[in-house]
Every structure is written in structure tokens, then in C-alpha cells.
């Protein structure tokens, strides 16, 4: 039920990550209010923007953050309250989780639609040196991800995957029992070489971006970036579509089973975690005033 976010807000796709942050950060208000301070530093990992580019980026970022907080966060608050009610009433099952998952996908898509014009404009204005710098940084990140997630033997990839999931579940449930840990291990093993499918797909998306940037001053560039941001699945191979659907269902099954295996103490902890997020988000100054009855 958690999509973990570490606030590595990279390049101009940063706003896509905001929905993921909302879903996973227990102190979202602090992160949200300081996002404008964090982003410029992380951008330096990719390229150096000139003064005009920085000014334009910051202005657009403020507008997008305001849009997101005023138009999207109220719905998130309602969704969190709904999940809390289901947790308290013992109504978390595969059907409910599938509904929540589809909502999360729609929330990310709304952000992609919102930021596409800004992203397109900023990418088009890069000079050749900045494009080379961006490509080199993305390629370096790709190699590091392969080193970390693909180079180890498959057995270690599976164990590492299980460890990461246990850490996430521990945050939400307080701790895991033996049955839950065994279920997590079964899930990790069932995904098999999922790392390869995932990284191959990332590389495919990256290559498509590189090719688009080479023709950023030609007609059709906006359509290319729109596809990259809004219709990512159209770039997937048949192999990855199959692997993604399998992993998607496996994760929903896992969460449902972990909930079924949870005790009263763990469910109270989960409820408290959700309540903390809801309270943090509800204090944001940018939220619209509640309507009077």
C-alpha cells in the first residue's frame, strides 16, 4: 500500500513524482513545503541550467505545485479517509486494492497531462551542450541501476527484493510476523527476473527521450514528449507488458495476503500511519477552504 519516495526529484519530470510522495511520505507537509529548495540541487545531477532557464523553471514549478495542492490533494485526503475506513472495518481485499491502484494511476496521469507543456518547452530550449550533459547523466544512472539491481546473481536479486519489501511493510505495520515474512519471500521469488524487464523498459524509454531531443526543433517534438509522459505503455515491448501485468497482480495479491495475516496491533499501526499522513496533508496552506454546508 506504499509507494516509497525518497524525494530524488530529478529533471523536469519531478512533478510526476509528487503523487508518489503523497502516497508514501509520513511527513508530506515538510517535504511539500520545501520542494522548491530541494529540486534545484538535484537538477545539478543532470545538467547546469542558465539563469533564464532557472527562472522559468521555478516560476512554472510554483504554478504546478499550486495546481496540484489545490486541485489534487483534496481528492487524496478523501481517498486516505476511505482507506482508513476499510482498514478499520476489515474490508481490505483484492478488489478494494485494485480500485485504489487504478486511482493512483489516474492521479499520476493527471500530473503528466498538467506538466507536459512545461516539460516540452523546457526541453526544446536546451542547447546542444545541455542535451549531451543530460544524456550522459541519464546513461550514468542507467549503468548504476544495472550494477545494483541486475549484476548480482538472481538469487541475490530476489533476496534484496524481499528485504526492500519487508522494510516497507514494517513501516506500515510496525513489524512483520513469520507468516508475513514467508509470504513476502514467496512474492519476491515469484517475480523472478523482474529486474531485467524493468531495467530494459527504462532503457527503452531513455533511448526514446534521447532520440526525441535530437529533433527537438523539428515538427512533432511536442507529440513525442506527450507520448513519453502520457502514453508510456505504448513504448512497452510485449515481453514487458506481460511481465508488468504479472508483477502488478502479484503485488496486489501480496498486500491483500499481508493484510489477512495481520493482527489487531498491526492494523492499528496501519491506521495510525494513514492518520498521520492525512493530518499532515490537511494542514497545507495551499488547500482550498472547505465549503460551508
Amino acid at each position: 500500500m506504499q509507494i516509497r519516495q525518497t524525494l530524488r526529484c530529478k529533471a523536469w519530470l519531478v512533478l510526476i513524482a509528487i503523487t508518489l510522495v503523497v502516497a508514501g511520505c509520513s511527513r508530506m507537509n515538510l517535504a511539500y513545503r520545501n520542494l522548491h529548495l530541494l529540486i534545484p540541487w538535484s537538477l545539478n545531477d543532470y545538467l547546469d541550467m542558465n539563469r533564464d532557464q532557472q527562472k522559468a523553471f521555478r516560476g512554472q514549478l510554483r504554478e504546478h505545485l499550486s495546481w496540484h495542492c489545490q486541485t489534487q490533494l483534496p481528492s487524496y485526503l478523501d481517498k486516505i479517509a476511505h482507506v482508513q475506513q476499510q482498514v478499520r472495518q476489515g474490508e481490505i481485499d483484492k478488489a478494494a486494492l485494485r480500485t485504489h491502484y487504478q486511482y493512483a494511476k489516474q492521479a499520476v496521469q493527471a500530473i503528466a497531462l498538467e506538466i507536459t507543456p512545461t516539460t516540452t518547452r523546457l526541453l526544446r530550449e536546451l542547447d546542444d551542450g545541455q542535451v549531451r550533459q543530460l544524456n550522459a547523466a541519464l546513461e550514468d544512472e542507467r549503468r548504476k541501476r544495472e550494477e545494483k539491481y541486475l549484476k548480482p546473481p538472481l538469487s541475490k536479486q530476489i533476496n534484496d527484493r524481499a528485504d526492500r519489501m519487508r522494510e516497507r511493510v514494517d513501516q506500515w505495520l510496525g513489524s512483520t510476523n513469520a507468516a508475513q515474512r514467508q509470504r513476502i519471500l514467496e512474492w519476491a521469488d515469484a517475480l523472478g527476473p523482474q529486474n531485467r524487464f524493468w531495467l530494459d523498459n527504462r532503457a527503452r524509454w531513455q533511448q526514446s527521450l534521447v532520440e526525441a531531443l535530437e529533433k527537438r526543433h523539428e515538427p512533432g517534438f511536442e507529440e513525442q514528449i506527450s507520448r513519453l509522459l502520457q502514453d508510456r505503455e505504448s513504448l512497452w515491448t510485449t515481453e514487458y507488458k506481460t511481465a508488468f501485468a504479472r508483477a502488478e497482480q502479484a503485488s496486489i495479491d501480496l498486500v491483500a495476503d499481508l493484510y489477512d495475516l495481520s493482527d489487531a496491533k498491526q492494523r492499528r499501526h496501519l491506521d495510525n500511519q494513514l492518520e498521520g499522513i492525512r493530518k499532515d496533508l490537511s494542514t497545507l496552506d495551499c488547500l482550498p477552504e472547505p465549503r460551508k454546508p
Side-chain angles (χ1 to χ4, degrees), residues 1 8-9 11 49 55 73 79 81 87 96 138 146 161 165 179 197-198 201 225-226 231 239 242 247 258 262 291:
M1 299 172 68
R8 297 182 64 222
C9 304
M49 292 190 295
K55 182 178 179 180
L73 285 187
K79 180 60 65 174
V87 169
L138 290 172
E146 288 191 355
R161 181 184 300 146
M165 180 57 73
F197 300 134
W198 164 55
N201 183 68
I225 298 303
S226 294
D231 191 19
E239 182 182 41
T242 300
L258 292 177
S262 63
R291 290 178 293 182

Side-chain angles (χ1 to χ4, degrees), residues 145-152 157 164 195 198-199:
R145 286 182 180 274
E146 288 191 355
E147 181 75 19
K148 180 177 180 179
Y149 296 108
L150 199 56
K151 187 175 180 179
Q157 293 179 31
R164 290 192 297 270
N195 289 5
W198 164 55
L199 290 173

Side-chain angles (χ1 to χ4, degrees), residues 23-46:
C25 181
S26 61
R27 286 296 176 267
M28 179 56 201
N29 58 348
L30 178 63
Y32 207 96
R33 286 168 177 152
N34 290 280
L35 203 57
H36 67 290
L37 299 176
L38 297 171
I39 290 169
W41 289 102
S42 60
L43 283 173
N44 290 331
D45 294 342
Y46 280 82

Side-chain angles (χ1 to χ4, degrees), residues 64-287:
H64 289 317
L65 289 174
S66 177
W67 164 84
H68 186 267
C69 190
Q70 294 187 42
T71 68
Q72 306 301 298
L73 285 187
S75 178
Y76 297 170
L77 291 170
D78 291 342
K79 180 60 65 174
I80 292 171
H82 184 206
V83 174
Q84 281 186 273
Q85 182 180 26
Q86 290 181 320
V87 169
R88 294 167 182 172
Q89 297 178 355
E91 297 175 349
I92 297 294
D93 56 21
K94 293 178 184 179
L97 291 170
R98 172 63 68 174
T99 298
H100 296 318
Y101 177 73
Q102 292 301 324
Y103 169 82
K105 290 178 66 175
Q106 292 170 4
V108 172
Q109 184 66 10
I111 295 175
L113 291 170
E114 166 70 12
I115 70 169
T116 293
T118 296
T119 304
T120 303
R121 183 167 55 254
L122 288 170
L123 290 176
R124 180 182 283 122
E125 292 174 355
L126 295 181
D127 61 35
D128 291 344
Q130 289 175 316
V131 169
R132 288 192 296 270
Q133 187 180 15
L134 176 59
N135 291 345
L138 290 172
E139 181 63 16
D140 181 61
E141 185 174 83
R142 183 191 65 78
R143 288 194 297 266
K144 289 178 179 178
R145 286 182 180 274
E146 288 191 355
E147 181 75 19
K148 180 177 180 179
Y149 296 108
L150 199 56
K151 187 175 180 179
L154 182 58
S155 59
K156 179 170 173 52
Q157 293 179 31
I158 291 172
N159 288 333
D160 290 346
R161 181 184 300 146
D163 289 342
R164 290 192 297 270
M165 180 57 73
R166 278 195 297 270
E167 290 179 2
R168 297 167 186 170
V169 175
D170 283 346
Q171 179 181 347
W172 287 101
L173 298 182
S175 62
T176 51
N177 56 44
Q180 289 167 332
R181 291 191 292 272
Q182 178 59 33
R183 180 64 182 87
I184 291 172
L185 187 59
E186 292 170 357
W187 162 83
D189 184 66
L191 291 186
Q194 181 66 22
N195 289 5
R196 177 174 66 82
F197 300 134
W198 164 55
L199 290 173
D200 285 350
N201 183 68
R202 284 183 61 95
R204 182 182 178 87
W205 188 94
Q206 179 181 322
Q207 183 59 36
S208 296
L209 175 62
V210 169
E211 292 172 356
L213 287 173
E214 290 176 351
K215 302 178 180 179
R216 62 192 181 282
H217 300 305
E218 298 180 12
F221 178 67
E222 182 175 351
E223 288 74 14
Q224 289 177 295
I225 298 303
S226 294
R227 185 186 182 198
L228 285 168
L229 296 182
Q230 301 175 17
D231 191 19
R232 297 174 297 280
E233 294 185 15
S234 67
L235 300 172
W236 293 0
T237 63
T238 301
E239 182 182 41
Y240 184 68
K241 288 179 181 178
T242 300
F244 182 87
R246 182 172 62 248
E248 183 180 69
Q249 187 59 53
S251 296
I252 291 174
D253 292 344
L254 171 66
V255 175
D257 290 345
L258 292 177
Y259 180 79
D260 288 341
L261 292 169
S262 63
D263 57 28
K265 181 179 179 181
Q266 288 176 321
R267 296 186 184 188
R268 284 195 301 271
H269 186 89
L270 173 58
D271 185 24
N272 289 336
Q273 290 291 97
L274 292 168
E275 180 64 13
I277 295 174
R278 190 190 64 79
K279 286 183 176 179
D280 284 343
L281 292 179
S282 65
T283 62
L284 290 173
D285 296 335
C286 61
L287 287 169

